[in-house]
């Protein structure tokens, strides 16, 4: 699954205002190790990622980054990357 799917299944909250359909950049993540184990970045992901603050050469959208199951994928979720317009439950 995607980094977003894996994190949510493990109880790790990652903001994803668009529902994980590559229509925003709130699920921005930085891959620290194992970038080669992820799916290739699409043009749509690259376009949306350009709106995320704090980009690095290893930035990805967690909803679009699908892991191949190889161990040792290390991802950092910036704590400042929050959806401030999220509705209260």
């Amino acid at each position: 699954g995607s980094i977003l799917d894996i994190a949510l299944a493990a109880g790790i909250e990652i903001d994803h205002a668009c529902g994980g359909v590559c229509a925003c950049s709130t699920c921005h993540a930085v891959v620290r190790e194992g970038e080669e184990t992820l799916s290739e970045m699409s043009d749509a992901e690259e376009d949306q990622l350009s709106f995320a603050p704090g980009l690095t050469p290893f930035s990805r959208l967690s909803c679009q980054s699908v892991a191949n199951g190889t161990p040792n994928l290390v991802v950092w979720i910036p704590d400042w990357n929050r959806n401030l317009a999220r509705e209260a439950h």
Side-chain angles (χ1 to χ4, degrees):
S2 69
I3 292 171
L4 177 62
D5 294 335
I6 295 166
L8 293 175
I12 300 167
E13 290 293 324
I14 297 179
D15 224 348
H16 52 289
C18 72
V21 296
C22 197
C24 72
S25 61
T26 58
C27 69
H28 172 221
V30 179
V31 180
R32 296 270 171 103
E33 291 180 30
E35 180 182 10
E36 68 281 356
T37 70
L38 296 174
S39 58
E40 190 173 320
M41 186 181 301
S42 68
D43 290 340
E45 179 185 359
E46 190 171 0
D47 288 345
Q48 285 301 324
L49 196 56
S50 68
F51 297 108
L55 289 179
T56 77
F58 303 103
S59 290
R60 293 292 305 264
L61 293 182
S62 64
C63 70
Q64 299 300 299
S65 304
V66 178
N68 70 7
T70 305
N72 300 326
L73 177 63
V74 178
V75 179
W76 175 64
I77 308 302
D79 59 356
W80 43 261
N81 199 4
R82 303 267 190 247
N83 177 12
L84 299 178
R86 184 186 328 172
E87 295 179 26
H89 296 289

